[in-house]
Amino acid sequence: MRRNAPIILLSVGHACVDVYQGSVAALVPFFIAERSYSLAVASGIVLAATLLSSVAQPLFGLLTDRWALPWLLPVSTLLGGLGIALSGLSGSYPLTLVFVALSGIGVAAYHPESARVARIAGRGSHRAMGWFSTGGTVGFALAPLMVAAAMSVGGLRWTPLLVLPALVGAALCLPVVRVLQQRQAAGARTTPPPAGSDDVASFVRLSLAVVFRSVAFIGLSTFISLYVRERLGGGIAVGTAALFVLYLGSTVGAVLGGSLAARWDRVVVARWSYLVSVAAVTGVVWVPGPAVFLFLALTSAGLYVPFSLQVTLGQDYLPSRVGTASGITLGLTVSIGGLASPAVGAIADATSLRTALAPLALMPLLSWLIFRTLPEPGVMGAASPGTATAAPSGSGAAKPG
């Protein structure tokens, strides 16, 4: 396998998994239209997708810090797709929540291990991690288009079509797993980081900043389709276009973040990105007319420039617990943002969508304030403690640290 092939396969596989994170928000307007759910009830579906994921991601991170679990990549990908595929088949609201939660668990299982493996495959490169993160944002961007295409066939009963990306993603994971097994068999190990090298205080502050960022992005992604349709008029196509622009801008931001970090400190890049995001979210809520699409693109780019940088920052703050750091920064803190969605929906039901979305502009401001206090850690070497975790599936080999 060529040198860059593993990171490319991981990036595409990441896209196939994050299709299912983006699909949840994309399905909300269809649940409202076909089942007459209120905004608060419909946002409960987003909550179901994120609640179990929030709890499960750090647990999976702890597991991957101790044992090699590369088999999680294809299995979790399939689980994420299966839950979304089943979500539209039952008119039962509790059963829909169960299926969406099942998908959330699959997504939770995927991210800590994949981020650890991506760090190994990219040899510690910020640019490589940026491309890995870009794969996820591409999945987000494609989600509304795929959902709209599937729903146009026959509504929610056609959600089984959405399992197709999971099948592709699982197949792409297999060559990467084989490479990891070969490296482990060749004895590719690294020296564990020195004891006491973790900067827990900085990691906690970083995690809080990611939570605020997540509240803003997930809040917008849940309701922006309905909000733009309300402001501009038009049908589902207008709302789908708005969600697509939001997710497409995140793809640009993820690529840009990796490139900027190659020239400036990650903390500095994140600070400026969050300042841009404050103005951009304000524009989404208050600037009238089609200009909303421009501000949507700026918002998603601004919120996603720090995305991959925050993952590597977390790994460098906790070098002895790369899996745990990945599970929290890439998963838990992102998922927690979904917990705020029902509150945003309840405010929208009681007042208006504009009133409910306006406070989201404060979230990147809070992230910016936190980043003003964060240090730039020493960059870890190309090989990380996770290299030792590239054991064959099911080997049960304990990892150092």
Side-chain angles (χ1 to χ4, degrees):
M1 183 176 289
R2 293 181 179 178
R3 175 172 177 170
N4 293 328
I7 198 68
I8 293 172
L9 292 177
L10 284 169
S11 298
V12 178
H14 194 189
C16 293
V17 171
D18 278 6
V19 158
Y20 299 111
Q21 290 203 82
S23 293
V24 178
L27 284 168
V28 164
F30 296 97
F31 283 119
I32 291 174
E34 292 193 26
R35 300 181 183 176
S36 301
Y37 291 159
S38 68
L39 291 176
V41 170
S43 62
I45 297 173
V46 179
L47 176 63
T50 57
L51 186 58
L52 284 178
S53 181
S54 299
V55 176
Q57 295 224 30
L59 297 180
F60 282 112
L62 288 170
L63 289 175
T64 60
D65 278 330
R66 184 166 178 80
W67 293 290
L69 302 173
W71 55 266
L72 268 180
L73 299 184
V75 171
S76 60
T77 300
L78 291 173
L79 191 62
L82 181 63
I84 294 298
L86 296 175
S87 65
L89 297 184
S90 172
S92 165
Y93 184 69
L95 198 55
T96 298
L97 296 182
V98 169
F99 289 140
V100 171
L102 180 69
S103 178
I105 292 175
V107 171
Y110 176 85
H111 281 100
E113 181 71 357
S114 65
R116 180 191 63 79
V117 172
R119 185 178 176 92
I120 299 169
R123 296 171 172 81
S125 165
H126 298 316
R127 194 181 298 272
M129 186 61 77
W131 281 109
F132 170 72
S133 299
T134 298
T137 61
V138 168
F140 265 105
L142 292 177
L145 302 181
M146 295 182 64
V147 168
M151 298 307 97
S152 67
V153 176
L156 289 172
R157 63 190 179 90
W158 282 92
T159 53
L161 287 176
L162 298 175
V163 78
L164 295 177
L167 299 177
V168 174
L172 292 176
C173 289
L174 297 179
V176 178
V177 171
R178 285 196 294 269
V179 169
L180 293 178
Q181 292 173 333
Q182 292 168 0
R183 288 186 182 178
Q184 180 64 20
R189 294 182 175 271
T190 58
T191 303
S197 61
D198 292 348
D199 184 354
V200 177
S202 293
F203 180 78
V204 170
R205 296 202 303 274
L206 170 70
S207 300
L208 187 58
V210 181
V211 167
F212 290 134
R213 171 214 167 272
S214 175
V215 170
F217 188 80
I218 295 182
L220 283 172
S221 64
T222 302
F223 298 105
I224 197 62
S225 177
L226 299 170
Y227 182 59
V228 172
R229 288 171 59 186
E230 179 183 285
R231 284 183 56 183
L232 301 182
I236 290 178
V238 173
T240 299
L243 198 58
F244 176 72
V245 169
L246 182 70
Y247 290 162
L248 185 62
S250 66
T251 301
V252 175
V255 174
L256 186 60
S259 299
L260 292 175
R263 300 184 60 185
W264 294 286
D265 287 349
R266 290 166 290 178
V267 172
V268 172
V269 172
R271 285 176 191 160
W272 283 103
S273 299
Y274 280 127
L275 279 181
V276 171
S277 299
V278 173
V281 175
T282 302
V284 168
V285 177
W286 295 106
V287 173
V292 67
F293 288 102
L294 172 61
F295 284 102
L296 274 175
L298 290 175
T299 294
S300 55
L303 291 175
Y304 262 87
V305 162
F307 188 70
S308 65
L309 310 185
Q310 291 165 161
V311 176
T312 59
L313 277 171
Q315 292 173 336
D316 288 342
Y317 287 142
L318 296 184
S320 69
R321 293 289 182 268
V322 170
T324 301
S326 302
I328 293 175
T329 55
L330 192 60
L332 173 63
T333 48
V334 175
S335 300
I336 286 176
L339 304 183
S341 292
V344 175
I347 294 173
D349 284 332
T351 56
S352 68
L353 271 173
R354 171 173 284 179
T355 301
L357 295 179
L360 297 182
L362 297 176
M363 298 297 105
L365 178 61
L366 295 174
S367 296
W368 173 76
L369 289 172
I370 292 173
F371 262 87
R372 292 189 64 193
T373 69
L374 287 178
E376 176 70 29
V379 179
M380 296 294 293
S384 74
T387 305
T389 66
S393 175
S395 69
K399 300 178 188 177

